[in-house]
Amino acid sequence: MSVKKDYEKIGVKISIVGSSFLALSAVIMALIAKSQAILFDGLFNFITLAMAFASLKVINLVKTPETKNRPFGYMALEPFLNLIKSLVILTLLVVFLVTNIQEICTGGRIISLDMTTLYIFVCLIIYAIIILFLRKYKKRTSSSILKLEINNWYVDALITVGIAISLVIAMIILRMGYTKILPYIDPIIVIALTAVSFPVPLKALSVALKRLLLVSSENSIEAEAKKQLHDVICKYGLIDTKIWGLKSGRTHYLFIYSDLKEEETTVMHLDEIRVEIFKELSKIYPKFWADIMFTKINPEEPFPIDGYQ
């Protein structure tokens, strides 16, 4: 009997292994070369490593079935984790931006360009391999956790690419005899990289916050769901069907309100309709829950204070 692979966990574990190796090597290299650009890269890997361990725990929790005490399970943990990841990365970017501006104002620092350049290009090869594997597994799962892992690796790779390009340009300038710029090369590289990196965690922060507050644009799924339920609506004569939705983490929650042409029906008949609705929705939403209410009350209008007439 074959066991279904959990590509989400496999991807996160690859991220852990890659982050561990790159973070340790970056810190060692930063101490040898006295480069904050490499230290910045290494600390980013340490953050990716710590968050990957947290992701493994969250992956297990969000897959835990709902219970009476936890009717929505752990749905909020996934966007909450993504929010924390984004905040930590933004904090790191701000710290390095401020400290390197201070470095420039105080005369800069000298680094070993040859050794640093060789190390950076070796790292780029490792980044390319890890991102290739993560993209492969992301195609097989709809995990927002794995998506953010990939985004973090892209940011880290972008930082490294920026360092590599800047170092090559710096070496060319030095060969031309402009040696006075050497102390300012490393802090200028870090400042440029932090500025370029800001949009990615800011976007991730915005998405995670909207999901936590349940105001994400992903909640606007009425047209999509109605299209999928078109045959069921026609088959059972459902009228005035309205669908409200929200998404938290990887789960869609749908509230379906509909009236019936028939004035009288049975519970068994209503349950038959519910089963058909669940079958259709499962074709487009891998993980969802739907509350299906048959009523003449319009949910989009205020309910009468004196009761339903």
Side-chain angles (χ1 to χ4, degrees), residues 5-296:
K5 291 184 179 180
D6 191 333
Y7 293 106
E8 186 177 32
K9 283 188 177 180
I10 293 173
V12 173
K13 287 177 180 178
I14 289 175
S15 183
I16 288 175
V17 173
S19 297
S20 301
F21 174 76
L22 289 169
L24 183 60
S25 62
V27 171
I28 294 173
M29 191 64 195
L31 293 174
I32 294 173
K34 299 179 181 178
S35 169
Q36 275 209 19
I38 294 180
L39 180 61
F40 174 53
D41 198 25
L43 288 178
F44 200 97
N45 277 303
F46 267 121
I47 290 173
T48 303
L49 174 62
M51 292 303 174
F53 277 114
S55 295
L56 280 179
K57 180 64 176 176
V58 170
I59 287 170
N60 289 329
L61 288 174
V62 297
K63 291 181 179 179
T64 303
E66 294 83 359
T67 64
K68 183 178 179 180
N69 294 330
R70 294 185 182 276
F72 292 99
Y74 293 90
M75 69 172 192
L77 278 182
E78 190 168 359
F80 179 72
L81 175 64
N82 292 341
L83 179 72
I84 296 299
K85 282 183 179 181
S86 303
L87 284 173
V88 172
I89 292 170
L90 282 170
T91 301
L92 178 66
L93 292 175
V94 170
V95 169
F96 268 88
L97 181 63
V98 172
T99 55
N100 281 274
I101 290 174
Q102 291 174 338
E103 282 279 356
I104 289 179
C105 295
T106 55
R109 56 182 172 270
I110 303 293
I111 63 170
S112 173
L113 280 180
D114 293 336
M115 188 182 300
T116 302
T117 304
L118 176 62
Y119 168 78
I120 289 298
F121 277 99
V122 171
C123 285
L124 284 176
I125 297 173
I126 298 173
Y127 284 128
I129 294 171
I130 292 173
I131 290 174
L132 184 65
F133 275 104
L134 292 181
R135 282 174 57 87
K136 175 183 175 183
Y137 293 128
K138 175 62 181 69
K139 290 179 180 178
R140 304 183 183 187
T141 175
S142 59
S143 167
S144 68
I145 288 178
L146 195 55
K147 181 179 179 180
L148 189 58
E149 285 290 329
I150 294 173
N151 285 343
N152 288 343
W153 278 99
Y154 273 130
V155 172
D156 207 355
L158 177 64
I159 290 170
T160 309
V161 168
I163 294 173
I165 294 172
S166 300
L167 288 174
V168 170
I169 294 173
M171 291 178 71
I172 294 172
I173 293 174
L174 288 174
R175 293 285 190 275
M176 296 169 65
Y178 298 99
T179 56
K180 290 183 179 180
I181 71 162
L182 183 58
Y184 301 101
I185 291 174
D186 195 58
I188 288 175
I189 290 173
V190 176
I191 290 171
L193 293 175
T194 53
V196 171
S197 301
F198 266 115
V200 175
L202 279 174
K203 182 179 179 181
L205 176 68
S206 174
V207 171
L209 186 59
K210 286 178 180 179
R211 286 181 176 176
L212 274 175
L213 297 176
L214 305 180
V215 294
S216 172
S217 59
E218 296 167 311
N219 295 347
S220 303
I221 58 174
E222 180 173 10
E224 177 184 68
K226 270 189 176 181
K227 181 179 179 181
Q228 184 65 27
L229 295 177
H230 178 265
D231 291 344
V232 177
I233 292 172
C234 293
K235 178 180 177 181
Y236 293 99
L238 305 182
I239 55 178
D240 295 329
T241 300
K242 292 179 174 57
I243 301 174
W244 294 2
L246 65 86
K247 184 179 181 183
S248 186
R250 62 195 65 191
T251 305
H252 281 89
Y253 292 87
L254 297 96
F255 303 88
I256 302 173
Y257 304 84
S258 189
D259 191 8
L260 294 167
K261 286 182 179 179
E262 304 172 4
E263 289 296 327
E264 295 183 6
T265 186
T266 64
V267 173
M268 289 183 63
H269 181 61
L270 296 180
D271 284 342
E272 179 185 334
I273 300 173
R274 288 188 179 96
V275 170
E276 291 293 324
I277 289 174
F278 270 87
K279 284 181 180 178
E280 287 301 315
L281 291 176
S282 66
K283 295 177 182 179
I284 58 174
Y285 302 122
K287 186 174 176 60
F288 77 96
W289 182 253
D291 284 332
I292 305 168
M293 290 150 276
F294 298 100
T295 177
K296 292 183 179 298

